[in-house]
Amino acid sequence: MADGNDSNGQVKVFTSADRIRQLNEIDKDVAKLIHSAGLAIQALTNARAGDLSATDTSLDSHKARFKEATSQYFALLSSIDVRLRRQVYALEEASILAPDSSSRGGDLAGAGAGASNVSNPLDVSWLNSRKDTVGKEKEAELWAAAREFVQQMEQVQSGDKDRVKVEGGQENMEVD
């Protein structure tokens, strides 16, 4: 799990605790990222924050606040992206996560040719394609309910208006 070089050119080894601390810092920065996105959106509205004065509602102040918030947002986003990629590379290096050709961009273009047929068990599209019974079961339930409704309507229109069969063969009386 060697990841960084210090000033002497030596490779620094990060422990699991170091990695967890780094992920915790990333987590805190995600909260800051969401906050800066909220500030950017707030700068686009006429809503006032508690600390803004009444004279701070000019178009130029809105633009300045929006520019500052978006700059902070994109800086945090870039930082989070880089640090998360480092974490993924460390997992790949430790053979905890299989290297993905798309995770390193063009780094593995020639070396990953044989690995393209191997599916990643954490890939959402792969997981979704394995079993889709929920959608099929729900569709079957809806068709059964529609069929029952049509049968009830046919019974009502056929002249048997006092008795309508419901599911399970039981009869239900309708009163007008």
Side-chain angles (χ1 to χ4, degrees):
M1 293 193 348
D3 191 59
N5 292 336
D6 58 9
S7 60
N8 297 335
Q10 297 175 347
V11 176
K12 183 177 179 182
V13 177
F14 290 107
T15 64
S16 296
D18 292 333
R19 294 287 180 195
I20 291 171
R21 269 189 232 102
Q22 291 170 356
L23 287 171
N24 189 29
E25 291 170 7
I26 293 170
D27 184 46
K28 289 177 183 176
D29 281 349
V30 168
K32 291 179 187 176
L33 178 78
I34 294 170
H35 179 72
S36 64
L39 290 176
I41 292 171
Q42 185 181 23
L44 295 175
T45 65
N46 288 330
R48 295 182 193 160
D51 59 339
L52 295 177
S53 65
T55 61
D56 197 29
T57 59
S58 69
L59 180 61
D60 291 334
S61 68
H62 281 279
K63 285 181 182 180
R65 287 191 324 224
F66 179 74
K67 187 174 183 178
E68 179 183 337
T70 54
S71 295
Q72 181 184 12
Y73 176 85
F74 286 115
L76 282 168
L77 183 64
S78 177
S79 172
I80 291 168
D81 180 50
V82 168
R83 290 182 291 163
L84 282 176
R85 285 181 193 272
R86 286 182 189 158
Q87 295 294 325
V88 170
Y89 295 156
L91 290 172
E92 288 175 355
E93 188 176 297
S95 299
I96 295 172
L97 186 65
D100 187 16
S101 61
S102 64
S103 69
R104 293 195 184 237
D107 292 349
L108 300 174
S116 63
N117 294 336
V118 178
S119 62
N120 182 357
L122 299 176
D123 184 20
V124 175
S125 61
W126 180 83
L127 291 171
N128 287 339
S129 69
R130 298 284 51 129
K131 193 170 186 181
D132 183 24
T133 59
V134 174
K136 292 177 183 177
E137 290 172 357
K138 185 63 177 176
E139 183 180 3
E141 287 176 19
L142 291 173
W143 278 112
R147 185 178 303 115
E148 180 182 329
F149 177 74
V150 170
Q151 288 173 349
Q152 287 178 356
M153 295 306 293
E154 287 176 348
Q155 287 178 353
V156 168
Q157 290 178 354
S158 69
D160 190 12
K161 295 183 180 182
D162 293 338
R163 294 179 170 220
V164 177
K165 294 218 177 203
V166 294
E167 188 175 335
Q170 298 176 350
E171 293 183 0
N172 186 14
M173 297 294 290
E174 284 188 8
V175 179
D176 291 350

